[in-house]
Amino acid sequence: MKLVRWGERGNEKAGIIDQRQQARDVSHLVADWRGDTITAENLQRLRATAVDSLPLLPDDTRLGPCVAQPGKIICVGLNYRDHAREAGMDLPAEPILFLKVTSAITGPNDAIEIPPQANKVDWEVELGVVIGRHGRNLRQEDALRHVAGYCIVNDVSERAWQIERGGQWDKGKNADTFAPLGPWLVTADEIADVQNLSLWLEVDGVRRQDSNTREMVFGVAGLVAYISQFMSLHPGDIIATGTPAGVGMGFKPPVYLKPGQRVRLGISGLGEQHNAIIAAADAGTAA
């Protein structure tokens, strides 16, 4: 199934995508899609429902992030062989982990805002893994049983803040709108082989990233098991599994996002994101 959240920012409700790729309202069955509602019981109830009889949503309905209130976003750095080659770096011996704050999350088609003083804002199409069952110290052979489904994450990054401001990656990863999420949460049963998904990204219609999840250094099952050694995984948590070659930082000279541009990205079976790039207002400080 393809699960969506729809409505105004902060007031989204649960929806589902039918066989004709139309969004329908299921909020009378499930109020919202979050860790404690993405359950086997709720999904089974939907599978037993005549989806085509549910209320259709208007075509211009805003889609929100496909998961509400995730506890954490765990990101994996340098996890594609082609990206490591592009960066001129050795493959990591173990997964490189960092966290992305939940206040960075925005809808799949919302604008990406460039903060004041930011001038090296980059794109990163990534496969997102949504946890469905609590897990800790998981074995790799059991790991995928803890996955509810998959989605698209754009790990938007300000490279100067990430690399040139004291060595903390988190500084460049967590501005508001730096984590477009969705459009859909696709349940795990719909993905035949998570290690064979095409993923791509375009800026103003120019293809910048074009790869496949088989290029991952560490696969999804291995990542879920590995991360669970260091922290508990809870329903609704998201793992962003890394980005392939083609990021702006990798071009010579580098190419970064500017207000007025548009980004389009997708992963096979998981839909597409469409984002306008705008300048964020400088709110300043309260008097």
Side-chain angles (χ1 to χ4, degrees):
M1 286 184 293
K2 297 178 176 70
L3 311 180
V4 295
R5 300 176 62 247
W6 60 275
E8 296 180 0
R9 186 188 300 269
N11 292 297
E12 292 93 347
K13 299 178 181 180
I16 192 169
I17 301 297
D18 66 18
Q19 294 296 318
R20 291 178 290 176
Q21 306 303 307
Q22 297 173 304
R24 294 181 181 268
D25 181 10
V26 299
S27 59
H28 62 295
L29 299 174
V30 182
D32 201 356
W33 293 122
R34 56 181 186 267
D36 62 347
T37 63
I38 307 170
T39 62
E41 293 78 12
N42 281 336
L43 297 180
Q44 186 57 40
R45 184 161 45 142
L46 277 181
R47 290 188 179 99
T49 300
V51 172
D52 289 347
S53 68
L54 298 174
L56 274 171
L57 300 178
D59 290 340
D60 60 352
T61 299
R62 173 187 175 270
L63 296 183
C66 59
V67 180
Q69 302 169 356
K72 52 188 173 289
I73 306 173
I74 309 108
C75 301
V76 184
L78 209 67
N79 194 38
Y80 277 73
R81 296 177 184 87
D82 54 3
H83 182 42
R85 289 193 296 269
E86 168 185 68
M89 300 178 70
D90 294 333
L91 298 181
E94 294 190 30
I96 299 169
L97 304 182
F98 60 95
L99 298 177
K100 205 168 178 87
V101 297
T102 57
S103 58
I105 292 174
T106 194
N109 302 317
D110 293 342
I112 294 171
E113 300 178 2
I114 296 183
Q117 289 80 54
N119 55 26
K120 294 183 179 180
V121 176
D122 207 344
W123 55 83
E124 296 188 31
V125 59
E126 305 201 8
L127 172 69
V129 179
V130 180
I131 299 300
R133 292 172 53 197
H134 176 267
R136 185 176 62 179
N137 293 319
L138 299 173
R139 298 184 305 171
Q140 183 166 328
E141 55 266 34
D142 299 327
L144 293 186
R145 289 203 287 269
H146 291 258
V147 174
Y150 303 96
C151 66
I152 302 171
V153 180
N154 188 354
D155 178 23
V156 183
S157 306
E158 212 296 344
R159 299 302 190 187
W161 298 358
Q162 176 188 353
I163 298 169
E164 303 167 20
R165 298 291 297 273
Q168 294 295 319
W169 281 20
D170 292 351
K171 294 176 185 176
K173 298 285 187 174
N174 288 309
D176 291 354
T177 75
F178 272 25
L181 190 66
W184 312 324
L185 166 57
V186 179
T187 53
D189 60 291
E190 289 208 5
I191 303 301
D193 183 359
V194 73
Q195 298 305 152
N196 188 22
L197 300 176
S198 298
L199 66 169
W200 53 269
L201 181 144
E202 296 176 352
V203 180
D204 287 343
V206 177
R207 186 64 58 102
R208 295 299 194 183
Q209 293 184 278
D210 197 350
S211 190
N212 191 287
T213 56
R214 61 175 171 262
E215 281 284 326
M216 284 185 182
V217 180
F218 306 101
V220 171
L223 288 173
V224 173
Y226 180 85
I227 292 167
S228 75
Q229 298 176 41
F230 304 101
M231 64 193 82
S232 293
L233 295 174
H234 295 268
D237 287 349
I238 299 165
I239 300 172
T241 55
T243 200
V247 298
M249 182 175 62
F251 287 88
K252 300 186 185 308
V255 179
Y256 296 116
L257 293 171
K258 305 295 183 186
Q261 293 185 306
R262 297 194 68 87
V263 174
R264 176 173 169 254
L265 57 150
I267 300 178
S268 54
L270 303 183
E272 295 184 5
Q273 295 183 2
H274 302 259
N275 309 101
I277 309 301
I278 66 173
D282 187 353
T285 57

